[in-house]
């Protein structure tokens, strides 16, 4: 999308300005901040882990280096990461279930007269 104008309505969320350009439906990085808190240690562990997995430790260093720099034991890092991933998954599943329940309550309307009968 090099020619599409974008803006950031919240922190690290980018949105396309043009109405004909589809936007992303789920931003897990932003969602992790909502669920865990933008500056929480759990979110920090998840983001460090994700970066290390994506870059094989070539950008920003390895998990071991991070643990040394922060004074965290590796087991503490892994506990925080696992706990954070579970909280994110639970929150996403809960949000999806709420959307699914809301959508199942909607009955399709075939015509204007059908719509008037349900009012």
């Amino acid at each position: 999308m090099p020619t599409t104008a974008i803006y950031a309505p919240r922190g690290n969320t980018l949105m396309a300005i043009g109405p004909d350009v589809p936007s992303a439906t789920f931003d897990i990085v932003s969602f992790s901040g909502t669920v865990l808190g933008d500056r929480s240690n759990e979110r920090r562990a998840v983001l460090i882990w994700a970066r290390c997995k994506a870059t094989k430790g070539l950008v920003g260093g390895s998990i071991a280096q991070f643990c040394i720099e922060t004074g965290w034991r590796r087991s503490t890092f892994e506990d925080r990461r696992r706990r954070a991933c579970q909280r994110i998954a639970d929150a996403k599943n809960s949000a999806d279930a709420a959307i699914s329940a809301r959508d199942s309550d909607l009955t399709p309307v075939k015509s204007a007269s059908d719509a008037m009968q349900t009012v």
Side-chain angles (χ1 to χ4, degrees), residues 16-75:
I17 289 177
D20 57 331
V21 178
S23 62
T25 57
F26 181 65
D27 179 354
I28 195 163
V29 175
S30 180
F31 188 69
S32 72
T34 301
V35 173
L36 303 171
D38 287 332
R39 299 189 186 278
S40 71
N41 284 329
E42 286 79 13
R43 183 171 189 240
R44 198 170 168 200
V46 167
L47 295 179
I48 293 295
W49 173 80
R51 187 203 65 220
C52 288
K53 285 296 205 181
T55 66
K56 297 184 179 13
L58 298 176
V59 175
S62 67
I63 292 171
Q65 289 170 316
F66 172 80
C67 289
I68 290 168
E69 290 170 8
T70 58
W72 293 5
R73 292 188 351 236
R74 180 63 183 250
S75 61

